Amino acid sequence: SADEVFARLAVHDQVFLITCGHIAAEHMQVSTNDHGNPVWEMLQDYQNRVHGGEGFLRLLRFYPGRDEIRAITYSPWLDSYEQDEDSYFTIDIHFDERLP
């Protein structure tokens, strides 16, 4: 189960982001690992939308100098971005504290 997978990963402080799919939805939640630090969990799966998802995909841009990750949802087929809060958001993370 997903909970069992998370429990195995939560012992490692370097795990800070988990992405998954195969459930037709968008969702993001923040959990806490065994070290008390946040782990961002993202679900993105667009296959049940019109025309099999219209090519939408989740792009993550890492900005270590700004200590942030930006998530955007884009369709190259439509050349269009989704702008709602589940599709376009920023994660604040102190990379140098989490990654050796």
Side-chain angles (χ1 to χ4, degrees):
S1 77
D3 290 335
E4 291 169 334
V5 171
F6 184 82
R8 283 187 276 160
L9 294 173
V11 300
H12 304 287
D13 195 31
Q14 291 81 22
V15 175
F16 62 89
L17 177 67
I18 298 171
T19 66
C20 62
H22 200 58
I23 298 174
E26 277 185 315
H27 181 70
M28 203 266 288
Q29 69 184 31
V30 181
S31 299
T32 303
N33 67 17
D34 293 352
H35 300 269
N37 288 316
V39 177
W40 289 267
E41 299 176 88
M42 287 185 232
L43 165 68
Q44 55 278 322
D45 186 333
Y46 309 102
Q47 66 186 352
N48 284 354
R49 293 184 179 185
V50 175
H51 305 294
E54 296 181 322
F56 276 102
L57 52 104
R58 171 72 44 85
L59 300 171
L60 301 175
R61 294 183 180 168
F62 290 73
Y63 296 95
R66 295 187 213 163
D67 284 333
E68 67 183 30
I69 301 168
R70 290 193 182 169
I72 60 173
T73 303
Y74 175 71
S75 168
W77 188 45
L78 299 174
D79 191 23
S80 176
Y81 293 89
E82 287 194 352
Q83 299 287 326
D84 61 273
E85 65 184 24
D86 290 330
S87 302
Y88 186 88
F89 53 88
T90 300
I91 295 171
D92 295 317
I93 179 170
H94 298 287
F95 287 106
D96 54 350
E97 293 176 10
R98 294 295 295 277
L99 304 174

